[in-house]
Amino acid sequence: MAEVLLTEDQLDHFRVRAAEIAHPRELVIDVLRAIQSNFGWVPDEGVELTGEILRLSPLQVEEVATFYDKIFRQPVGKRVIHVCDSVCCWSRGAEEIYAHLQKTLGISPGGTTSDGVFTLLPTCCLGACGEAPAVMIGLTTYGDLTPERLDEILERERAALEE
Amino acid sequence: MTQVLFKNRRPGETVFLDGYRKTGGYEGLQKAVKAMSPDEVREAVKESGLRGRGGAGFPTGVKWTFFPADQFGEKYLVCNADEKEPGTYKDRELLLADPHQLVEGMIVSAYALRIPVGYIFIRYGYERCSQNLERAIAEACEAGFLGDNILGSEFSFELHVHRSAGRYICGEETALLNALEGLRANPRSKPPFPAVRGLFGMPTTVNNVETLANVQHIIVNGPEWFRGLAATETGAGTKLYGLSGHLERTPCLELPIGTTLREIVEEHGGGVWKGRTFKACLPGGASTPYLAAKHLDTPLDFEPIEKAGSRLGTGGVTVFDDTTCMVAATLNLNTFFARESCGWCTPCRDGLPFVSWLLEKIERGEGTMEDIEILRGQIRNIHGRSFCALATGAMEPVASLLDLFMDEVVDHIKRGRCPLKR
């Protein structure tokens, strides 16, 4: 992951957009997501930078950033695993999937593996109810999971990061 | 079976402009813009009997009569593609298969309401859907279906995709508007309704994906055809039903609205899984009351489901087999709502965690008969008294647990343990 909050191109893009639209504040999630995509999470400097681009106070950005469960205001692993614990996944073995992940990765919910690769978090419904149980890793949704299939997916995600 | 929204759907494929046009795509827009006045388009939608597919089921044409359609100027059309109701994944399936269905529906709706700007508010996890929509929008612009002077007319419309970052409350229409504006996504007080003062303080209509995607088909084929698609007398159109839970097969399908629960479970879902029997279902997402086995012959359409004591909601049907503990299922549902509460009002922020605490106590076998009365009191104090529909919706499965499965609740208390725990 790049160690910049926003690239020069992104900075230009957001500054131009903010100047040409009537309500620059509507871009706050776009900017925060761009920072998170580059940096992995949104540090205080990211909140300040967002405010500076959109002419908002850091507090105005912070109250939005902390509202959303998919904006990370703390360091997370390179891939966040969101485990669906809503009713359809629950009815088809989500608890087993969640327990398996905790055991395999050696972390509790909210934790990050010691190699900094995976962070484990619960999430509400992913909209994959017909393929329950499901998890989302990064922005990819995986359904019809069994512990075995999950192990293969974790392997693949790890390998993809090493490339 | 007539396929309208899913007619181009093939496993693992997405249809874009060429494929969409091959089956009549954008004929509705051409007809509307070239041969109909905005008023005539609105009238057709009203006559079709189309009801909102996002959960509340309000008649779309009637909703649009509250909108200042003939007033020119800054107004917004917002598509709610947040789809976070547990058990609901129909909009995702539509956007994965055929994104132009929504894009054309939005353009025709914007024409009808004389709206110059639209937003599609889409959830964090639907990245592929977002990309499909961006490509569809670019194609529509290129083909002259979107942008300035659409099809040589005076009508112009621009459309934007807004990717969100989580939280169930964003699907509540006024919270969604705050989210779009870059504010904390707490709901707003109503009135004023969005039709009067919505996005950026201007008249706004918020409609669901499936609702909007039906509009161009009503224009091409007429309101009568649309009403004739239903399996019930009072219904109109098809419905995307998303199956989940304890069924052999859990597909998302387009069926005549009012198909019976029995047909959906036995035929389309292949029956209850593992040779077990049907115990209950949520007929339309997490905020609809349960239906039990005695309701299997209920047509899944707005009116018949209401008669059976529940709601069509989103049409996401989640089935529970006879080994399911309904206290545990309700605890799971309520805990979801408690976690997703935005914290704005007390009944929701404080009431829902208390309800979870009571249900958990009963599930552990430590509940008392008095806890049932306390639970009833909580339902009374939360249902209809929360600032928005979130906590009120949360109480619906809880209330129906006590209506339909009281014996099971009492059994937990009498035995001092969950009678269904494996």
Side-chain angles (χ1 to χ4, degrees), chain B residues 38-39 41-42 64 69-70 107-115 155:
Chain B
D39 187 46
V41 175
R42 295 200 300 275
W64 286 1
D70 294 322
I107 304 169
V108 176
S109 302
Y111 173 76
L113 299 165
R114 293 196 167 90
I115 293 176
F155 166 59

Side-chain angles (χ1 to χ4, degrees), chain B residues 231-232 241 257-261 295-305 312:
Chain B
T232 45
Y241 294 102
I257 197 165
T259 302
T260 65
L261 178 57
H295 300 120
L296 272 167
D297 292 309
T298 307
L300 295 192
D301 189 3
F302 296 100
E303 290 186 17
I305 297 198
L312 178 63

Side-chain angles (χ1 to χ4, degrees), chain B residues 66-68 71 74-76 78 173-178 181 187-206:
Chain B
F66 306 140
F67 188 84
Q71 169 190 320
E74 198 187 335
K75 296 189 290 190
Y76 296 95
V78 175
E173 66 173 1
T174 60
L176 185 153
L177 296 176
N178 278 340
E181 290 186 20
R188 297 176 180 177
S189 113
K190 291 189 274 193
F193 287 89
V196 176
R197 203 184 305 157
L199 189 62
F200 306 119
M202 305 312 287
T204 302
T205 181
V206 184

Side-chain angles (χ1 to χ4, degrees), chain B residues 27-39:
Chain B
E27 281 171 17
L29 176 66
Q30 309 215 21
K31 183 172 172 188
V33 170
K34 290 183 176 161
M36 293 170 83
S37 67
D39 187 46

Side-chain angles (χ1 to χ4, degrees), chain A residues 23 25-26 28-29 33 63-64 66-70 85 87-88 90-92 123-125 127 129-131 139, chain B residues 87 89 92 119 123 163-167 179-180 182-185 200 244-247 250 318 329 332 336 339:
Chain A
H23 315 278
R25 192 171 188 158
E26 70 175 277
V28 62
I29 294 296
R33 284 192 59 174
E63 67 172 14
V64 173
T66 55
F67 189 84
Y68 292 95
D69 63 318
K70 308 292 188 301
D85 59 5
V87 70
C88 306
W90 171 83
S91 77
R92 295 183 74 116
T123 182
C124 72
C125 185
C129 318
E131 309 152 45
L139 278 169
Chain B
Y89 60 103
R92 172 178 179 239
Y119 284 88
R123 61 179 299 180
R163 288 170 168 83
S164 186
R167 295 308 294 273
L180 263 182
L183 302 168
R184 224 173 143 83
F200 306 119
S244 61
H246 298 156
L247 292 167
T250 52
T318 307
N332 173 284
F336 154 80
R339 195 173 70 199

